Amino acid sequence: SNIQDLNETVTLIRVIAYPAKMEYLTGDELDLVGGMFEAVYISGKTDLLSISPSMITGYDPNTVGTQTLTVNYGGQTDTFDITVSKRPEATAVTLLTEPTQKEFVVGTSFDFSGATVKVEYDNGTNEVLDVTPDMTTGANINHMGTQTVTVTFGNYSDTFEIKVVPASISSISVSEMPKKLVYIEGEKLDTTGLTIVANYSNGSEISIASGYTITGYDANKIGEQTITVTFVGKSTTFTVEVVEKV
């Protein structure tokens, strides 16, 4: 086994492909994708291996300039250089476009899609960024009314306004049918057991115990009848049957 171990001893490594990313800004994480090296063993065998972060020494994300990174493998080393430049600092943030949606129902969630800001930097460059939730403060979906949302990038910010409105009834539905669905000609309608649910625009629903109207029943009309339940302008239906009196 000692001969086998000796044959696996690395005698040389050499970087044969640099990582795709060779230029960094201060604070960037090291990205070694694409980096490859060849390991040569005392036996003459060679391996082609990817460079991984655990093999690297010499990277300082906060030091500007050329940095020599060392690849360590099997007791052998090779090096390559990268460049770290000062990350530009924001000098101004300007709202370019407001969100597509400006009105939200209380208790739902915000969607600021469509909102963008222009960020200007101290090196004379600028970029347009989509507004993400972590860039915003001041919005509370559980508080109704007009709200000012602040978009912050670095030490600079701009604002836009949104509105949180009360939930409204979007529809009503029958959640439980009446116990009695078949009637003998002349019988009055009995809605015992009927349960109506109001579905709100924020996704919630509430059972309605009273305040609705029922139309469409004719005790003297034989056959199937569609009964309409109406509540604050919203309607739903259920079906009963009237059979001939014998």
Side-chain angles (χ1 to χ4, degrees), residues 23-201:
E23 296 184 358
Y24 290 79
L25 296 176
T26 48
D28 282 350
E29 290 187 9
L30 194 59
D31 182 354
L32 300 169
V33 173
M36 305 288 294
F37 69 95
E38 183 182 47
V40 180
Y41 298 88
I42 197 171
S43 64
K45 185 184 80 167
T46 62
D47 277 337
L48 189 59
L49 303 169
S50 296
I51 302 173
S52 66
S54 61
M55 300 174 181
I56 294 292
T57 54
Y59 179 58
D60 183 350
N62 299 312
T63 298
V64 173
T66 300
Q67 297 187 21
T68 298
L69 305 189
T70 301
V71 183
N72 303 271
Y73 182 78
Q76 303 298 319
T77 63
D78 196 9
T79 63
F80 64 94
D81 291 344
I82 62 165
T83 302
V84 179
S85 302
K86 179 180 176 295
R87 181 176 295 277
E89 295 181 6
T91 56
V93 171
T94 307
L95 185 73
L96 285 184
T97 58
E98 297 194 343
T100 305
Q101 183 178 350
K102 298 290 296 294
E103 191 171 282
F104 302 88
V105 176
V106 65
T108 56
S109 59
F110 289 121
D111 179 1
F112 295 149
S113 297
T116 60
V117 290
K118 179 182 178 182
V119 181
E120 298 176 51
Y121 295 99
D122 58 2
N123 63 355
T125 63
N126 64 77
E127 63 179 334
V128 176
L129 301 176
D130 291 330
V131 173
T132 57
D134 60 310
M135 295 166 65
T136 65
T137 55
N140 188 332
I141 199 65
N142 296 314
H143 288 178
M144 289 185 292
T146 300
Q147 300 180 16
T148 299
V149 181
T150 301
V151 183
T152 302
F153 187 91
N155 296 319
Y156 297 87
S157 61
D158 202 351
T159 62
F160 61 86
E161 289 191 344
I162 53 101
K163 193 173 185 179
V164 178
V165 298
S168 59
I169 296 177
S170 55
S171 66
I172 65 171
S173 57
V174 176
S175 63
E176 289 187 30
M177 296 289 282
K179 293 179 181 178
K180 187 176 177 68
L181 293 173
V182 179
Y183 293 82
I184 297 173
E185 182 182 5
E187 282 190 309
K188 290 183 178 181
L189 185 68
D190 181 358
T191 58
T192 302
L194 174 66
T195 303
I196 302 298
V197 169
N199 306 296
Y200 283 81
S201 53

